[in-house]
Amino acid sequence: MAQGTKEYSVPALEKAIAILNALAASELSISDLHSQLKLPKTTTFVILNTLEQHEIIRKTPEGKYRLGPGVLRWGNRYFDSMDMVQIARPHLERLVEEKPYTCHLAVLIGDKPVYCDKVEGSGFVRFATMIGQSQPLHQSSVGKALAAGLSDDDIRSLLPDAMDASTGKSIRSIEKFLEEVQFVRENGFAIEDEEFEEGVRCIGAPIRNYTGNIVASLSITALSKDLPAVKFMVIGEEVKQTAALISRDLGYNGGNIRHSVTETKSMGNKP
């Protein structure tokens, strides 16, 4: 268990994890799992059936179970996000250096953006966000930026008809959210103006990989007084350029990338 984590547990989840660990070693039948893990057959069957529905495991023609493609998707997303964190970190640090902003890096997991890195700027305010935390797709700039890589139909399928509203400025309709996503597609950055929390604004931008697909997004978060509306376009361009530099480092060749002063100096006289 991770250091500092309280010893809470969910029995059914503990059993499912035990089953997955056993299947990671070899293909096993229900009887094998029952004998090896000392689990009731009924419980084992219910857990296996649930895991199979989500493609986390698969049943072989011989009646045994093995890990499924769902596990591979998790693994690939984990490794992709870890590589991305290492690549993106220097760019995030430069973006918020000597500025009262906090920078977040996020990936889309299911229907929500999830933070996979966070860099604090020089401001006195520290936002209570953390790596692994998810944000609403329609109430976050990282969510809007990630949604720009989806089709409108896919976006509709991810959002409920009755959308949660955290503040008076929250987006309440799918059509309005689609307008915000179109703004990202046309301008390259997203604005979240006190839609999730009053007094807090964010500007985000999509990050692309070598195929041109949007695989992540970054954002700066600030108090409204430190990010006035008159600066949206200027700061938006800075955030967009940072996302473009990260995209370049991930192998993306498209887009107009302008090097920052700091990076240009570090490149010396390279052509």
Side-chain angles (χ1 to χ4, degrees):
M1 182 172 291
Q3 185 177 1
T5 303
K6 294 183 179 180
E7 294 186 2
Y8 300 138
S9 66
V10 179
L13 186 55
E14 293 279 0
K15 293 180 176 68
I17 292 171
I19 289 173
L20 290 172
N21 285 335
L23 294 179
S26 62
E27 295 180 356
L28 299 169
S29 65
I30 292 181
S31 297
D32 295 332
L33 290 165
H34 166 68
S35 302
Q36 185 173 323
L37 302 177
K38 311 300 181 187
L39 297 176
K41 284 190 176 180
T42 302
T43 301
T44 304
F45 174 79
V46 171
I47 292 174
L48 289 172
N49 186 57
T50 301
L51 293 174
E52 189 176 11
Q53 288 180 36
H54 292 276
E55 294 190 317
I56 298 170
I57 64 171
R58 280 189 173 171
K59 192 173 184 179
T60 69
E62 294 75 28
K64 294 188 176 184
Y65 292 88
R66 59 180 175 82
L67 297 182
V71 175
L72 181 61
R73 287 195 294 271
W74 287 346
N76 286 340
R77 177 54 64 89
Y78 171 78
F79 284 116
D80 287 347
S81 65
M82 291 304 100
D83 290 341
M84 194 179 306
V85 167
Q86 293 176 1
I87 290 170
R89 172 55 77 99
H91 298 290
L92 305 186
E93 291 174 344
R94 279 194 290 270
L95 180 60
V96 298
E97 186 177 8
E98 298 182 359
K99 295 174 184 174
Y101 303 151
T102 295
C103 198
H104 294 99
L105 183 69
V107 295
L108 186 64
I109 298 181
D111 61 350
K112 295 182 183 298
V114 177
Y115 292 146
C116 54
D117 201 12
K118 175 183 179 181
V119 178
E120 300 278 8
S122 59
F124 292 106
V125 175
R126 292 292 183 262
F127 295 97
T129 51
M130 63 187 70
I131 296 171
Q133 179 180 335
S134 63
Q135 291 289 314
L137 187 70
H138 65 291
Q139 292 180 10
S140 60
S141 64
V142 286
K144 294 176 184 179
L146 287 165
L150 304 174
S151 69
D152 288 359
D153 286 342
D154 286 339
I155 292 172
R156 291 178 189 278
S157 70
L158 291 177
L159 293 175
D161 292 332
M163 298 166 68
D164 294 335
S166 299
T167 74
K169 292 187 175 182
S170 296
I171 294 173
R172 289 173 167 80
S173 72
I174 292 178
E175 294 307 318
K176 174 59 178 174
F177 182 69
L178 290 176
E179 290 179 12
E180 294 285 311
V181 172
Q182 187 59 33
F183 177 89
V184 181
R185 293 169 180 157
E186 293 175 359
N187 294 277
F189 62 89
I191 298 170
E192 185 264 289
D193 185 9
E194 299 185 82
E195 295 158 37
F196 184 64
E197 184 176 351
E198 292 182 359
V200 177
R201 288 170 168 159
C202 303
I203 296 181
I207 296 170
R208 299 177 184 272
N209 66 3
Y210 67 97
T211 67
N213 291 326
I214 294 175
V215 293
S217 63
L218 67 89
S219 71
I220 55 106
T221 300
L223 296 178
S224 297
K225 68 179 183 64
D226 295 323
L227 185 56
V230 293
K231 289 188 176 181
F232 281 169
M233 300 307 291
V234 173
I235 301 301
E237 285 297 319
E238 290 184 24
V239 174
K240 181 172 79 171
Q241 284 298 319
T242 298
L245 290 170
I246 297 170
S247 298
R248 178 205 63 184
D249 289 351
L250 291 173
Y252 179 58
N253 292 321
N256 180 24
I257 299 175
R258 173 167 40 84
H259 297 294
S260 67
V261 174
T262 304
E263 187 182 50
T264 302
K265 288 180 179 179
S266 69
M267 292 172 68
N269 296 321
K270 293 180 182 179

